[in-house]
Amino acid sequence: MSRSTTPTRWRLGLTATAVLAAAALVPVPAHAETTTDYAIKVDPTAKGAKIDDTMYGVFFEDINRAADGGLYAELVQNRSFEYSTVDNKSYTPLTSWTVDGTAQVVNDDGRLNARNRSYLSLGAASSVTNAGYNTGIHVEQGKRYDFSVWARAASGTALTVSLQDADGTLATARRVAVRTGGWAKYKATLTATRTSSNGRLTVASSAATALDMVSLFPRDTYRNEPNGLRKDLAEKIAALHPGFVRFPGGCLVNTGSMQDYSEASGWQRARSYQWKDTIGPVEQRATNSNFWGYNQSYGLGYYEYFRLSEDIGAMPLPVVPALVTGCGQNKAVDDDALLKRHIQDTLDLIEFANGPVTSTWGKKRARMGHPKPFHLTHIEVGNEENLPEEFFARFKQFRAAIEAKYPNITVISNSGPDDAGSTFDTAWQLNRDAKVDMVDEHYYNSPQWFLQNNNRYDSYDRGGPKVFLGEYASQGNAFKNGLSEAAFMTGLERNADVVKLASYAPLFANEDYVQWRPDLVWFNNHASWNSANYEVQKLFMNNVGDRVVPSTATGTPALQGPITGAVGLSTWATSAAYDDVKVTDADGRTLLADDFSGDASRWSHTGGGSWSVQDGQYVQSDAAAENTMVSAGDVNWHDYDVHVKATKKSGKEGFLVAFGVKDTGNYYWWNLGGWNNTQSAVEQAVDGGKSTLISKAGSVETGRAYDIDIKVRGRQVTLYLDGKEWGSFTDDKSAEPFRQVVTRDAKTGDLIVKVVNAQPNAARTAVALGGAKVSSKARVTTLAAAPDAVNSETQTPVTPVTSTFTGVADKFTYTFPANSITFLRLKQR
């Protein structure tokens, strides 16, 4: 993530002068009265890039409770009593359960099986009640719910299974007879008599009974499959018509132990996601600590991911661990035997997906109910590794083994966690040198960054590795975020010969269990809703086309002033001391000088943390607080030099020195020792969204005083650390608000003119089709809303509107509304 200041941008329209806050996307009515003129010229005789059917897809990671309590339709939380403090410090084996009578969770040789370690010993005349997810278990009147449980009793007994909420019974209770003897599975069906989102499932026993895998599934799952998917969430994926599904992560894949789940590893819980844990009967699947701070049951596993991909007509794209951890862990695992085991696991995965029923793993797939192969063609090794050399040494071994046995499989590498910087550059060079087929890029940046970087892939080597944009998003779910992403996507399509796959990330978020935002689809236990970003993705995915038709458009000329703003000091999960702050203008005149020999009255505290003057230094003493900004000076300052002496006292990171500070959401800062003290970067914040402008590996020493100097001249910034130049950049990219691309749909013959107008002015546009013969009538789909509009469970201001435009000719004029995305489908004659 990144931070920094919004430069003021004055834009001159082609026929009228207008101040367009395109970078900040200031909220205004969706249809402003002012109009700016543009022109689009299409060349239907030229041949643009071919667009693959798999261009756009989805990325599923079990984050924000996207699996258990989400896409996986199981209604019982902690059904197998496996929750542990390893998953979350607040967890116990009875999390989400309440006991009436006597019950205890047992881990002994009487367990259901070796991989299902814990079970519940329920006393006679006792019961346990499960609270489900969110507000409880959601049931709908008249619908059926399938209960199952594994039970064991020393003597014959009966279980009473009931559903209720605070208002009473939700279904007629069912009696389940348990036979004397060993573990067996028992089933019952409950029919809801009322609709409720606050249900509780109770299992009561007349005699002492052992219970495990207490389950309640709606009968009405996606495609009515057992162990199935929540219908509304799966249907939202299907409605996108994605070309691929990337799974299962993300940080889940390359964090934690790389050991297996076995007695030899001490039943290691905090493991990387390993596919063999997730197939076979659900009661025999392993459990695991989820990187995002909860438990994952693996009820939703590789078989289900493959089935989902097949059901929606998408290419499956699994990601396997490369034995270099990422996501802040940053450790290369040096264990040759373990590496070879993971390589073999990857080969076995391909056999599981594609092998004949006579093969070892193809037979396991067939036994699960799918004798036909899943037609796996792509596999990704690793995710966002921050140690490119160590990662690539292992990646090459994976690739060699896969290519030797399965030469038709495309093996995908990656370029680390950022869009630029030393890790990115090193990783890309290694990938180019080794002639890797495809490289996965990830970045989460501000809306301004996406408006500024539409041409990112214009200069990529056409003969080099192809790009898989596996994770990207601007930092929010408002329509302004969707607008900026849409503008960027026109550049992805224009460069479809280089960018072969792209997926917004992440896919799902349960509103009561959020670790990451923004997200594409939001839900709770009874409803789901599309974000503005989802509507953008859906519009593009359902109107891709097969080939780019070359086109050009006039832009919005920008007149840029210098970087302006005050200065600031901050910390992030660190305590630090600052001294000898001095700001001078370009002529050497002092604008600010503070050695903190007195008070800190010139500084405004706008962030968190605890600041005080101590021994002639300005100290932020809270080592846990994040973004503790204090600022001083004038927001109109420009062309100045900043000097600061900074010392880290304790904590995880280093210190931050800000410049160009407008307010709490708009500034630049030099982040020294960020990302768990592994790198330093200059970040820009625009309306709270952050982007990295320059970054390098490096750390900050505790107790050492550093001299920091920042020279701001116009839009050029030069940074010095202890008197030596650390780096420089020029922030002069225009955040162009008017973007377009044209594609052709081979199936329908349509020309699809796609225009993004991310500004508060309507865009009156002269369109010239270059002699293409088209019908006078066009089908139009428009997304238009206020920039700050956000969809919710109850309100969806960002919704597509379809209409017909009858003024199409070889040359015609169309006015694209302010803050809008418009797709014109022109029928060719």
Side-chain angles (χ1 to χ4, degrees), residues 719-756:
L719 307 112
Y720 301 87
L721 187 61
D722 288 336
K724 296 181 180 178
E725 184 173 331
W726 178 87
S728 65
F729 67 92
T730 303
D731 180 26
D732 59 357
K733 282 188 178 180
S734 174
E736 173 59 55
F738 186 83
R739 294 291 188 183
Q740 60 80 40
V741 70
V742 181
T743 64
R744 178 182 285 112
D745 187 331
K747 185 176 181 180
T748 64
D750 292 353
L751 287 180
I752 312 172
V753 180
K754 313 173 188 184
V755 176
V756 180

Side-chain angles (χ1 to χ4, degrees), residues 249-532:
C251 287
L252 300 183
V253 169
N254 68 333
T255 53
S257 168
M258 299 293 166
Q259 299 291 337
D260 62 359
Y261 193 56
S262 67
E263 185 175 8
S265 71
W267 304 105
Q268 179 63 249
R269 286 290 292 269
R271 307 183 312 285
S272 64
Y273 196 111
Q274 299 173 45
W275 77 271
K276 289 180 179 178
D277 289 340
T278 76
I279 65 167
V282 291
E283 69 274 6
Q284 295 177 18
R285 299 183 188 182
T287 191
N288 203 14
S289 172
N290 182 297
F291 172 81
W292 298 108
Y294 51 91
N295 175 273
Q296 50 190 351
S297 71
Y298 288 145
L300 177 60
Y302 258 71
Y303 179 76
E304 289 75 28
Y305 289 128
F306 277 124
R307 285 295 302 269
L308 171 63
S309 302
E310 181 180 68
D311 288 345
I312 63 177
M315 176 181 79
L317 204 167
V319 186
V320 298
L323 273 72
V324 177
T325 58
C327 302
Q329 297 184 355
N330 301 336
K331 178 183 176 183
V333 179
D334 290 316
D335 185 329
D336 193 56
L338 188 59
L339 175 62
K340 286 182 169 58
R341 194 268 286 174
H342 276 267
I343 292 172
Q344 185 60 50
D345 281 355
T346 303
L347 297 175
D348 292 345
L349 170 60
I350 299 170
E351 183 176 286
F352 177 77
N354 295 347
V357 296
T358 53
S359 66
T360 300
W361 291 98
K363 184 183 296 182
K364 291 182 183 293
R365 182 193 69 240
R367 286 175 178 170
M368 292 186 73
H370 202 282
K372 293 182 179 180
F374 284 119
H375 306 294
L376 177 68
T377 60
H378 292 63
I379 195 164
E380 183 172 357
V381 177
N383 171 76
E384 292 189 9
E385 280 75 23
N386 224 343
L387 301 172
E389 301 276 1
E390 293 85 343
F391 160 73
F392 206 76
R394 290 154 180 79
F395 171 84
K396 288 191 295 184
Q397 295 185 60
F398 277 87
R399 185 177 68 159
I402 294 168
E403 288 182 343
K405 191 168 184 179
Y406 300 105
N408 294 325
I409 295 290
T410 297
V411 186
I412 302 171
S413 179
N414 75 81
S415 59
D418 300 308
D419 62 87
S422 57
T423 296
F424 178 89
D425 292 340
T426 300
W428 256 106
Q429 190 60 53
L430 291 166
N431 285 308
R432 279 192 292 267
D433 291 347
K435 294 181 170 55
V436 168
D437 288 331
M438 189 174 290
V439 177
D440 186 3
E441 293 189 355
H442 295 178
Y443 37 81
Y444 298 90
N445 289 321
S446 69
Q448 172 168 292
W449 185 94
F450 283 94
L451 291 177
Q452 289 175 321
N453 284 275
N454 174 275
N455 63 348
R456 175 180 175 88
Y457 296 106
D458 291 0
S459 59
Y460 271 49
D461 180 5
R462 270 42 206 170
K466 302 306 180 185
V467 172
F468 171 24
L469 181 49
E471 296 183 32
Y472 73 97
S474 69
Q475 292 154 352
N477 276 142
F479 187 49
K480 64 184 177 185
N481 301 97
L483 280 168
S484 68
E485 291 155 6
F488 188 74
M489 292 170 78
T490 65
L492 299 182
E493 291 192 5
R494 188 176 64 251
N495 290 285
D497 57 328
V498 169
V499 183
K500 307 305 288 184
L501 308 168
S503 50
Y504 180 101
L507 178 58
F508 286 126
N510 186 321
E511 67 173 350
D512 292 332
Y513 309 94
V514 181
Q515 290 86 40
W516 184 281
R517 59 180 77 226
D519 305 282
L520 205 61
V521 175
W522 289 81
F523 66 92
N524 50 38
N525 65 354
H526 62 275
S528 57
W529 54 98
N530 305 333
S531 67

Side-chain angles (χ1 to χ4, degrees), residues 40-46 549-550 744 751 767-775 808-812 826-829:
I40 296 173
K41 293 183 179 180
V42 183
D43 185 357
T45 63
V549 180
R744 178 182 285 112
L751 287 180
V767 182
L769 297 178
K773 298 186 181 302
V774 295
S775 169
V808 180
D810 183 47
K811 294 181 179 179
F812 66 96
L826 313 180
K827 182 70 68 178
Q828 292 195 96
R829 293 181 297 178

Side-chain angles (χ1 to χ4, degrees), residues 794-813:
T794 57
Q795 294 183 315
T796 54
V798 184
T799 301
V801 175
T802 58
S803 60
T804 301
F805 175 67
T806 57
V808 180
D810 183 47
K811 294 181 179 179
F812 66 96
T813 299

